[in-house]
Amino acid sequence: MSSLRHRVLAVSRPLSLTIAASLLLINLGVILFGVFMRYFAGGAPIWTDELARFLIIGTVMLAAGAVWVEGGHMRVALIERLLPPALTRLLNVYQWLLTLGIALGGAWVSYRYAHSVSMFTTSGLGVSRTVPLMSLPIGFALLAWHVLWYGPAPLRVATEDAAS
């Protein structure tokens, strides 16, 4: 099971990060287009600001699960180092269940909300509000996917490079 877990994470983490990086590059292009239009053509289309906002939210949501698995998110790991091993293991299970529950709950609530506003359109893009809001349930579901496959193991701790 452990090798399957590592293989699933070895595929889904880079895939999530690649899609998130692609969205970030698209976002950079949209922002640069908006800046060019604003300063050189006299005015930017309204959709550039709105699209940039939706792209950055989508980028963060798609990368959240992979970043969580890598231990690249902000957290305080002091308690884990001070507890005896048995209590540390219990704390790891608690953190895993809590994160999984929040991710699944976030996916469910945001999915329902995204569909509840389907009759409304965005002001700049003119598409159903459901389209950009679907990045939230997709992101929460990916976070739950990564958390589920990572399991209740101790989270990685990001360390500073001694050379810097």
Side-chain angles (χ1 to χ4, degrees), residues 12-23 62-67 70 146:
S12 66
R13 279 181 43 234
L15 183 62
S16 294
L17 291 175
T18 300
I19 294 169
S22 300
L23 289 179
L62 291 178
V67 171
E70 293 174 356
H146 285 102

Side-chain angles (χ1 to χ4, degrees), residues 54-131:
F54 291 142
L55 284 171
I56 199 67
I57 292 168
T59 299
V60 169
M61 291 306 299
L62 291 178
V67 171
W68 185 86
V69 168
E70 293 174 356
H73 64 292
M74 285 183 55
R75 71 185 190 98
V76 178
L78 178 65
I79 294 174
E80 294 171 18
R81 289 180 272 188
L82 297 176
L83 291 175
L87 288 178
T88 301
R89 178 75 179 139
L90 186 63
L91 179 64
N92 290 332
V93 171
Y94 169 74
Q95 288 174 339
W96 179 70
L97 288 172
L98 182 65
T99 306
L100 187 60
I102 289 171
L104 289 171
W108 173 251
V109 169
S110 59
Y111 178 80
R112 290 181 45 98
Y113 177 71
H115 282 287
S116 74
V117 295
S118 63
M119 67 194 92
F120 303 108
T121 59
T122 62
S123 59
L125 296 171
V127 298
S128 170
R129 289 191 56 84
T130 299
V131 173

